[in-house]
Amino acid sequence: MTADLTSDSRWEPDMLGGSWLARTLRLRPDEEGEVVATLVADGARPRTERAVLYVHGYVDYFFQTHMADVLADHGYTFYALDLRRYGRSLRPHQTPNYVTRLSDYAEELDTAARIVRDELGHEELVVLGHSTGGLVTALWADARTRAGAESATSTGTSTTSASAVQIDALVLNSPWLDLNEPWFSRVVATRLIDMLAPLAPRTPVGGLGPHYGRALHKDTGGEWDYDLTLKPHEGFPARAGWLRAVRRGHAQVARGLDIRCPVLVLTPDASGDPKRWHDAILTTDSVLDVQQTARLAPGLGRDVTLVTVPGAAHDLSLSPEPARSRFFDEVTAWLSSKGL
């Protein structure tokens, strides 16, 4: 691999410091003005044939450099994407974390994937999505891998087009495939949101509890250090237009996707109460319902593997040991089994 990020003026020093670099991806402006996403990479790492593109969850951004270290040790060049209105990509004039269509994210996902494959020359691309990023990347992979297969069938070639980005594998870390709420919220409230969102899309309709974030962060007894202005414990308000988009994504998953590349879904082995503090908050999924994920995962595609990791947290990469190492071992062993 010959690409040298440090000699490319489009890559600038990243907020992580050291050899980390960031590249701003200019996207189509919207009603709030300028829109960008941010691609992040470690400029000191050698380029390899295999690449991983990581996509974060809700009220989140990329800071998990240890994940890049583990994957680099197994021969993968690591990239991360901060989606529009998240983390490095959030601008002062924007509503944090807000979209009204999950398909909008295809613009930055397509752009990042083409930079990794075409510009930087990686032969294989693995996409790794966490939580909301798992939902977003699953829907995107469904559209893109089907488009690629249909293009190849109709033309007799495997050349990708603007709508057919090649994805070799999809890894989902606690993907958000359904709403972890009682029946009333999942059914009745969803219908009310459908009516409210077109009239007042930015109306706050919910938010995150602070307990999981406090358990993670070093200032409140956790193991991890990250920017609390970009990933605050209380999150940002969940707004009606955004929640309607998410619930429509959930409905697509419930109907079944047809992702054509291999898919690995990983979850903790148990769920915990997401609304209060409890002693098992970092050894259970205290954000999502793991039974919902297990039920829906087989419908994501044609080759889906489901793995549960005992004692893991919602973000398995931030779990206490030994669950964290078990998560990475499962991911790398599965990729190896797929020839990646």
Side-chain angles (χ1 to χ4, degrees):
M1 308 290 291
T2 58
D4 181 5
L5 303 187
T6 60
S7 65
D8 187 334
S9 61
R10 292 172 295 185
W11 293 86
E12 299 179 346
D14 183 58
M15 60 184 291
L16 291 172
S19 56
W20 285 94
L21 301 173
R23 176 170 167 178
T24 300
L25 310 181
R26 304 289 175 185
L27 307 176
R28 290 188 296 270
D30 62 15
E31 69 279 3
E32 289 188 332
E34 177 194 34
V35 179
V36 303
T38 312
L39 188 61
V40 183
D42 185 348
R45 299 282 190 189
R47 307 296 99 186
T48 64
E49 291 188 355
R50 301 177 296 175
V52 171
L53 176 64
Y54 172 74
V55 181
H56 55 80
Y58 181 59
V59 189
D60 205 357
Y61 73 103
F62 170 66
F63 62 90
Q64 301 92 332
T65 57
H66 68 287
M67 178 163 49
D69 294 338
V70 171
L71 292 168
D73 288 343
H74 285 82
Y76 301 92
T77 304
F78 183 90
Y79 301 90
L81 180 66
D82 277 13
L83 299 169
R84 64 184 70 197
R85 294 186 172 87
Y86 282 90
R88 300 163 177 82
S89 307
L90 179 62
R91 297 296 185 261
H93 64 276
Q94 292 180 323
T95 305
N97 302 179
Y98 179 77
V99 294
T100 56
R101 299 179 303 178
L102 297 186
S103 59
D104 287 350
Y105 294 125
E107 184 179 5
E108 55 257 52
L109 286 164
D110 287 347
T111 301
R114 290 195 192 97
I115 289 171
V116 171
R117 292 201 77 112
D118 301 338
E119 184 179 311
L120 299 176
H122 296 283
E123 296 293 328
E124 296 170 348
L125 174 61
V126 176
V127 176
L128 170 55
H130 167 57
S131 198
T132 308
L135 173 64
V136 168
T137 55
L139 296 171
W140 174 69
D142 174 58
R144 294 304 181 253
T145 60
R146 281 190 294 105
E150 290 160 8
S151 175
T153 299
S154 64
T155 64
T157 72
S158 59
T159 302
T160 59
S161 68
S163 61
V165 176
Q166 185 179 347
I167 307 162
D168 295 291
L170 178 66
V171 177
L172 302 178
N173 167 4
S174 295
W176 188 21
L177 304 183
D178 201 352
L179 192 64
N180 185 15
E181 292 286 349
W183 177 88
F184 182 88
S185 294
R186 294 175 56 250
V187 178
V188 178
T190 294
R191 293 175 182 170
L192 295 175
I193 290 294
D194 268 338
M195 293 185 288
L196 173 64
L199 302 174
R202 287 182 171 78
T203 301
V205 293
L208 295 177
H211 311 298
Y212 175 60
R214 291 186 182 279
L216 289 175
H217 199 270
K218 70 167 190 173
D219 289 349
T220 43
E223 188 176 352
W224 306 101
D225 188 17
Y226 49 83
D227 189 335
L228 290 174
T229 64
L230 302 181
K231 183 178 171 63
H233 297 326
E234 295 78 11
F236 300 106
R239 300 181 185 274
W242 174 84
L243 186 56
R244 181 176 67 162
V246 168
R247 293 301 284 149
R248 290 185 171 187
H250 289 163
Q252 286 182 255
V253 170
R255 291 192 295 269
L257 305 183
D258 189 20
I259 299 172
R260 304 291 178 92
C261 68
V263 182
L264 173 64
V265 178
L266 303 106
T267 73
D269 64 335
S271 298
D273 190 333
K275 299 184 185 302
R276 65 176 181 86
W277 177 269
H278 57 93
D279 290 341
I281 201 164
L282 290 182
T283 54
T284 60
D285 192 329
S286 294
V287 177
L288 302 180
D289 182 341
V290 298
Q291 293 184 349
Q292 288 178 333
T293 307
R295 175 175 55 83
L296 292 164
L300 292 175
R302 304 182 178 193
D303 179 1
V304 180
T305 302
L306 175 66
V307 171
T308 58
V309 179
H314 171 59
D315 185 342
L316 286 93
S317 75
L318 302 181
S319 299
E321 293 289 9
R324 182 163 70 242
S325 292
R326 170 75 178 273
F327 163 68
F328 288 123
D329 288 345
E330 293 285 0
V331 170
T332 54
W334 180 82
L335 289 172
S336 179
S337 75
K338 297 300 180 181
L340 297 168

